[in-house]
């Protein structure tokens, strides 16, 4: 009997280790593993543990971009509160998916800003205790004291009301999931994405006159302005290539076991007849 139990335990361990080896691709590991990067005294990046987050601290106030979810959001909250001390904190959600908004409720008393989803749409994705206090409809600038935050609504891309956040003094752009570094973009029909806008938004900011030295994606490692071109090309290929050619060109990408595969993306494009040649 003891041998049976021992073999059962070993079998479970073997299966678990196999799953970790096969399924945790570099992109999935980057989603789970937390990496904290301090960029000078003003900015801290919290990459992974769900959606990427960023803390910007000015002389008078602070801003947190995206709050993660579950236990990850609690770890982030502990770090943020320790860093900002008594400074006023504002939360910005780049979009309404829960891996970016799940920790909102932890910041009691803080203003929470997001794109113009409206309450009914927000609650399709989130709990009521995560609701923003302000829907951002036009470009908005926050002065934190010595450093400013530009909140830029980019409309329907990854979701129906995405936001970018730009920090001109640091030449940093936060894109949310409109750009995720070296992973498949997640195309979720219920979030009302717009593929043509998505491609055009990436091109627009890649060609922007804004000085952008650092791009903070929704998922994955820190990137550069040039990486936005690569992501735009992905959508161009989705729109223009046949399924067979697409699979051949992106064979390695196709095998990534991330949130959404390129096959699912292709099916979405076919069903919605976007730029179908």
């Amino acid at each position: 009997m003891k041998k049976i139990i021992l073999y059962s335990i070993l079998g479970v361990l073997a299966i678990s280790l196999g799953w970790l080896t096969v399924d945790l691709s570099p992109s999935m590991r980057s989603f789970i593993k937390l990496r904290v990067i301090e960029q000078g005294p003003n900015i801290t990046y919290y990459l992974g543990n769900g959606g990427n987050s960023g803390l910007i601290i000015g002389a008078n106030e602070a801003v947190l971009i995206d709050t993660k979810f579950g236990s990850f959001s609690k770890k982030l909250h502990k770090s943020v509160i320790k860093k900002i001390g008594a400074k006023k904190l504002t939360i910005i959600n780049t979009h309404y998916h829960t891996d970016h908004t799940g920790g909102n409720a932890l910041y009691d008393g803080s203003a929470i800003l997001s794109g113009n989803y409206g309450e009914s749409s927000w609650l399709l994705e989130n709990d009521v205790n995560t609701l923003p206090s302000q829907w951002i409809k036009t470009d908005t600038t926050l002065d934190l004291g010595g450093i400013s935050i530009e909140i830029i609504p980019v409309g329907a891309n990854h979701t129906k009301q995405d936001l970018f956040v730009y920090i001109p003094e640091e030449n940093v752009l936060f894109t949310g999931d409109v750009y995720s570094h070296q992973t498949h973009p997640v195309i979720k029909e219920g979030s009302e994405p717009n593929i043509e806008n998505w491609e055009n938004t990436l091109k627009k900011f890649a060609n922007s006159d804004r000085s952008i030295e650092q791009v903070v994606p929704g998922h994955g490692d820190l990137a550069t302005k040039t990486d936005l071109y690569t992501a735009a090309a992905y959508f161009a290929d989705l729109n223009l290539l046949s399924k067979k050619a697409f699979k051949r060109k992106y064979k390695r990408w196709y095998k990534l076991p991330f949130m959404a595969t390129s096959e699912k993306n292709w099916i979405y494009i076919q069903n919605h007849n976007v730029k179908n040649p």
Side-chain angles (χ1 to χ4, degrees), residues 3 6 21 40 49 71 74 82 93 100 108 111 124 134 144 187 208 238 246-247 251-252 276:
K3 285 186 178 181
L6 177 62
T21 302
N49 270 190
S71 61
K74 295 177 182 177
K82 182 178 180 180
N93 293 142
H100 296 260
D108 186 37
L124 293 175
Q134 182 179 348
L144 306 184
I187 301 177
S208 172
L238 271 175
F246 175 79
K247 282 188 176 182
K251 185 176 180 181
R252 293 176 68 185
N276 193 21

Side-chain angles (χ1 to χ4, degrees), residues 27 95 97 157-159 162 176-189 193-195 198-199 202 217-219 227 230-238 246 250 253-254 256 258-266 268-269:
S27 53
H95 61 291
H97 287 156
N157 294 267
H158 170 64
T159 72
D162 294 299
D177 285 4
V178 176
Y179 176 66
S180 290
H181 188 55
Q182 294 183 347
T183 68
H184 292 297
V186 176
I187 301 177
K188 184 178 176 183
E189 185 161 2
N194 186 308
I195 303 303
W198 201 336
E199 179 184 340
L202 291 166
H219 299 278
D227 291 309
T230 303
Y234 176 94
F235 285 110
D237 288 345
L238 271 175
F246 175 79
Y250 288 102
W253 284 32
Y254 182 76
L256 287 174
F258 197 54
M259 290 174 160
T261 67
S262 56
E263 183 177 31
K264 289 179 182 177
N265 291 352
W266 174 261
Y268 180 92
I269 297 295

Side-chain angles (χ1 to χ4, degrees), residues 122-195:
W122 186 272
L123 294 179
L124 293 175
E125 292 281 337
N126 295 276
D127 295 334
V128 68
N129 60 0
T130 68
L131 270 167
S133 55
Q134 182 179 348
W135 308 113
I136 300 297
K137 302 176 183 179
T138 59
D139 289 6
T140 302
T141 300
L142 306 179
D143 182 1
L144 306 184
I147 189 168
S148 57
I149 303 292
E150 296 181 13
I151 309 172
I152 308 165
V154 293
N157 294 267
H158 170 64
T159 72
K160 62 190 291 186
Q161 294 290 345
D162 294 299
L163 292 180
F164 279 8
V165 181
Y166 178 59
I167 308 167
E169 291 84 359
E170 300 286 344
N171 303 318
V172 172
L173 179 70
F174 287 79
T175 65
D177 285 4
V178 176
Y179 176 66
S180 290
H181 188 55
Q182 294 183 347
T183 68
H184 292 297
V186 176
I187 301 177
K188 184 178 176 183
E189 185 161 2
S191 299
E192 301 181 43
N194 186 308
I195 303 303

Side-chain angles (χ1 to χ4, degrees), residues 3-25:
K3 285 186 178 181
I4 294 174
I5 293 173
L6 177 62
Y7 290 148
S8 298
I9 293 171
L10 291 174
V12 170
L13 286 173
I15 292 170
S16 299
L17 289 172
W19 178 81
L20 287 170
T21 302
V22 174
D23 284 350
L24 289 186
S25 67

